[in-house]
Amino acid sequence: MNPDRLRHLTDTFFSVPKRQLVEIFRELLDAVEAEGHLPPGGLMSRNYETAQANPEIHVLPGNLKDARDAVFPFFWGTDSWNSDLHLENVKGPANAASMVGALACLLKNPNLCVDTYCLRSNELEVKAITALANLIFYHTQTPWGVFTMGGTISNLYAGKIGIEKVAPGTMHHGLTGPRVVGLVSQAAHYSNKTLAGWLGIGTDNLISIPTAPDCSMRLDLLEATLHELYDQGARVAFVIATFGTTDAYGIDDLAGIRAIVERVARAHEAIVPHLHADAAVGWTSCFLTEYDLERNELQMSDELLERVGRLRRAAEGFRTVDSVTIDFHKMGWGHYPGSAFIVNRREELRYLLREKQEVPYFSEADYRHDPALFTLECSRPGLGPYSVMASLAGIGLQGYQLLTARMIELASTLKARLERLENCKVLNFETPGPSVVFWVLPRGRDAKRIYEQVVAGTLPVESRQRFFSEIRRLFEKRQQSIDPKVDARLSFTSSMGYLPEGIPLPAWKAVFFHPRTDEQVIDRIVSGIEDLV
Ligand SMILES: *Cc1c(COP(=O)(O)O)cnc(C)c1O
């Protein structure tokens, strides 16, 4: 071995060259700052054509600037969602405290699978999980959980526990015997289909319960469906309720669902299904649980207080569920991946436990310190706990209350402004979250009346199709006519989550996510719509 070459390599890549790292990081920060002066969106057009044709790598060892240069065009070409004009989805800017946490994590690169590979980082995970559990379940004795790669995986943990509850030993001998099913609402996220498919119960056995106009699961239909399934001899592994649907922020009645699953399972002498709340989007409502509505320290308007009050009552339902999915990387303004799967009672994780002989290189393992004994993943990054605790400590409970309430306030303002226009109809007027889904029809059309007719099923199919294509066409027209420097970017959904008579409702969508978005942005959305039609 050539000792000089080896030394050169280790000096360059395996020391912590502080000066070079700081220099490169400053350059990247400068690029981010420069991006702030440009309209959001594609800073640089994509070049997929040769991404596969020319995946060349350097032959000779280089330095850290080669690393920088290799990624820079893609870094520059990637929007960091730092613009206050991004309103299209549940994706927003990550906060700076989270950045501090994430960078600290990268410097140590802990592996959260076992205690010995991550030392105090594991403690940080326990702390972060407990902090989130206290916020969500409110009073809980033995919460436990883990950070995962995303909401999809967090939901998957819940599905797996449910299957093991009603079909014990499936982990070892696979699914056998009577049909196993899981239930969600029609507005649930598609990740539930993913888990049904991947866990082997099959997407056909994931049953969607229709929603009410507010995009919440219809409890009468849940109850009837459960009776029917038990009568057919099916085993109901889980009900995954949604707290904050992805498009319209519909909220399932968690306590109501709890009462029904208990009652119906008892009537059929069945094992109670695992009740999980997919709060990937809606969990931040829990920041408002302790907000004193009387003192109203943040000076919320009466209308906002009313919405916050409703959200608080809905969030009390979390106390009745077995487990929950939260995505800190969505409404928590944290970095990816920051999803957590949390159980209300620690012993429920026993359904996932591996035998120690199955994980030979963790022979000393204790599941309280070594999540590898029950996690889907083996190696797990520490980014979640680091970015979460840094964010929670930096922004604080009051800070999160202010930010969460502000997003709701902006959504309410836009809803009220749109609802005043004859040719517009807000489809989720009553839901208290940060998202607005709405129709814009050509001037002269009575959007509210058309909505009523669609819901009542009295509108001829051809008219409905015409109106729906007008909604889409006007959206595209706006897309083409906006001034990207000042106009917000909105998105379009082909089904907002409520399906009257089984008909998916297309809608324009605006999600308030950026704390710097303000009333001026709303003014421009509304005046733009008035000019459009
Ligand atoms: C985004 C989302 C998910 C999936 O989470 P990922 O982190 O994107 O995997 C699950 N449920 C809901 C309601 C979501 O909005």
Side-chain angles (χ1 to χ4, degrees):
M1 285 288 145
N2 179 325
D4 291 339
R5 282 200 189 174
L6 184 60
R7 191 166 336 98
H8 179 72
L9 269 186
T10 52
D11 284 353
T12 313
F13 297 105
F14 294 92
S15 60
V16 182
K18 207 164 152 189
R19 198 180 47 75
Q20 286 100 311
L21 283 175
V22 168
E23 184 186 14
I24 290 174
F25 197 62
R26 191 181 42 70
E27 290 164 354
L28 296 177
L29 284 172
D30 285 347
V32 169
E33 194 183 315
E35 178 193 310
H37 299 290
L38 295 165
L43 290 168
M44 206 183 223
S45 61
R46 297 182 181 91
N47 181 16
Y48 276 116
E49 287 73 19
T50 60
Q52 281 188 306
N54 278 324
E56 80 284 1
I57 61 170
H58 286 182
V59 175
L60 299 176
N63 58 29
L64 298 185
K65 289 187 184 167
D66 291 308
R68 177 200 64 190
D69 294 347
V71 300
F72 191 81
F74 309 91
F75 176 82
W76 180 248
T78 296
D79 188 335
S80 44
W81 293 66
N82 279 330
S83 164
D84 56 348
L85 297 175
H86 276 305
L87 265 63
E88 49 274 70
N89 221 328
V90 282
K91 166 86 189 84
N95 80 82
S98 172
M99 172 78 71
V100 171
L103 285 174
C105 178
L106 290 178
L107 285 170
K108 290 300 181 77
N109 201 27
N111 184 339
L112 296 190
C113 65
V114 287
D115 203 349
T116 38
Y117 294 179
C118 62
L119 298 167
R120 293 203 69 187
S121 297
N122 197 319
E123 222 179 297
L124 190 66
E125 177 170 54
V126 171
K127 204 175 163 98
I129 290 288
T130 313
L132 292 168
N134 288 341
L135 197 65
I136 290 161
F137 299 128
Y138 211 57
H139 289 121
T140 166
Q141 300 300 319
T142 59
W144 199 263
V146 284
F147 280 84
T148 75
M149 289 184 289
T152 303
I153 308 300
S154 296
N155 285 345
L156 184 122
Y157 275 77
K160 184 59 187 160
I161 291 180
I163 291 171
E164 290 296 326
K165 279 185 176 177
V166 301
T170 298
M171 189 80 90
H172 298 282
H173 47 67
L175 268 179
T176 53
R179 183 179 177 212
V180 173
V181 301
L183 274 67
V184 293
S185 88
Q186 244 170 7
H189 191 262
Y190 76 85
S191 54
N192 296 299
K193 276 214 160 134
T194 307
L195 72 90
W198 286 54
L199 291 174
I201 67 172
T203 53
D204 292 348
N205 290 312
L206 183 76
I207 292 154
S208 300
I209 307 294
T211 44
D214 65 359
C215 292
S216 69
M217 186 188 287
R218 289 253 317 256
L219 296 191
D220 55 333
L221 297 179
L222 169 69
E223 181 149 10
T225 308
L226 278 170
H227 277 300
E228 227 171 86
L229 287 164
Y230 284 130
D231 284 341
Q232 293 163 4
R235 291 173 290 178
V236 183
F238 56 82
V239 175
I240 298 184
T242 313
F243 194 101
T245 60
T246 316
D247 282 336
Y249 213 86
I251 295 173
D252 288 348
D253 174 357
L254 303 178
I257 293 175
R258 164 57 76 196
I260 289 169
V261 295
E262 296 272 349
R263 185 166 67 237
V264 181
R266 203 172 317 120
H268 292 266
E269 294 177 358
I271 294 165
V272 179
H274 186 79
L275 176 54
H276 177 73
D278 176 1
V281 169
W283 68 276
T284 46
S285 298
C286 297
F287 283 121
L288 297 164
T289 308
E290 280 201 345
Y291 185 70
D292 189 334
L293 299 172
E294 302 286 306
R295 281 181 55 213
N296 191 20
E297 223 170 292
L298 298 176
Q299 297 159 5
M300 299 185 193
S301 69
D302 289 345
E303 202 230 328
L304 184 58
L305 274 180
E306 189 274 326
R307 283 181 188 266
V308 168
R310 264 192 295 136
L311 211 46
R312 269 179 46 152
R313 282 190 294 283
E316 283 170 14
F318 279 114
R319 298 167 205 185
T320 69
V321 303
D322 298 315
S323 59
V324 61
T325 287
I326 75 115
D327 270 4
F328 207 90
H329 56 234
K330 288 183 179 162
M331 308 311 262
W333 295 281
H335 285 85
Y336 294 112
S339 182
F341 169 71
I342 310 175
V343 292
N344 207 337
R345 287 170 304 277
R346 169 180 303 180
E347 68 269 16
E348 299 238 295
L349 289 175
R350 74 178 182 279
Y351 293 103
L352 305 177
L353 277 182
R354 293 183 179 87
E355 300 290 331
K356 280 198 190 154
Q357 60 265 30
E358 293 176 69
V359 283
Y361 57 99
F362 304 143
S363 59
E364 303 294 308
D366 169 340
Y367 86 98
R368 280 165 307 173
H369 295 149
D370 302 318
L373 287 176
F374 64 89
T375 52
L376 169 70
E377 308 95 326
C378 174
S379 296
R380 270 185 322 122
L383 283 165
Y386 276 86
S387 58
V388 166
M389 285 315 287
S391 302
L392 291 176
I395 294 175
L397 180 64
Q398 274 218 355
Y400 270 107
Q401 284 177 340
L402 181 62
L403 293 174
T404 306
R406 172 67 175 154
M407 298 303 109
I408 301 169
E409 180 178 49
L410 288 169
S412 306
T413 306
L414 178 61
K415 283 175 180 174
R417 298 276 304 271
L418 290 169
E419 196 67 0
R420 265 183 245 140
L421 304 178
E422 198 202 13
N423 56 314
C424 289
K425 161 79 190 160
V426 177
L427 306 186
N428 66 337
F429 196 83
E430 291 299 327
T431 58
S435 63
V436 188
V437 283
F438 58 105
W439 284 354
V440 179
L441 282 145
R443 205 193 298 276
R445 296 237 191 271
D446 182 345
K448 281 114 194 143
R449 197 162 140 261
I450 292 171
Y451 177 80
E452 277 161 24
Q453 289 173 326
V454 170
V455 169
T458 55
L459 197 66
V461 185
E462 310 78 60
S463 316
R464 188 179 79 226
Q465 282 167 348
R466 188 171 67 248
F467 295 143
F468 284 6
S469 58
E470 284 172 354
I471 294 168
R472 171 103 224 182
R473 188 172 49 73
L474 285 175
F475 179 80
E476 277 156 14
K477 189 170 168 199
R478 176 185 186 271
Q479 294 284 85
Q480 269 138 37
S481 59
I482 60 168
D483 176 352
K485 287 195 291 301
V486 284
D487 285 317
R489 294 166 163 260
L490 308 178
S491 60
F492 195 86
T493 173
S494 54
S495 178
M496 52 71 74
Y498 166 50
L499 293 84
E501 317 255 316
I503 300 161
L505 302 181
W508 294 35
K509 176 175 163 184
V511 187
F512 288 92
F513 207 142
H514 199 302
R516 280 202 318 268
T517 303
D518 61 10
E519 281 74 7
Q520 263 179 321
V521 173
I522 293 178
D523 287 344
R524 285 211 51 105
I525 295 174
V526 176
S527 64
I529 286 171
E530 283 170 325
D531 294 343
L532 194 64
V533 288

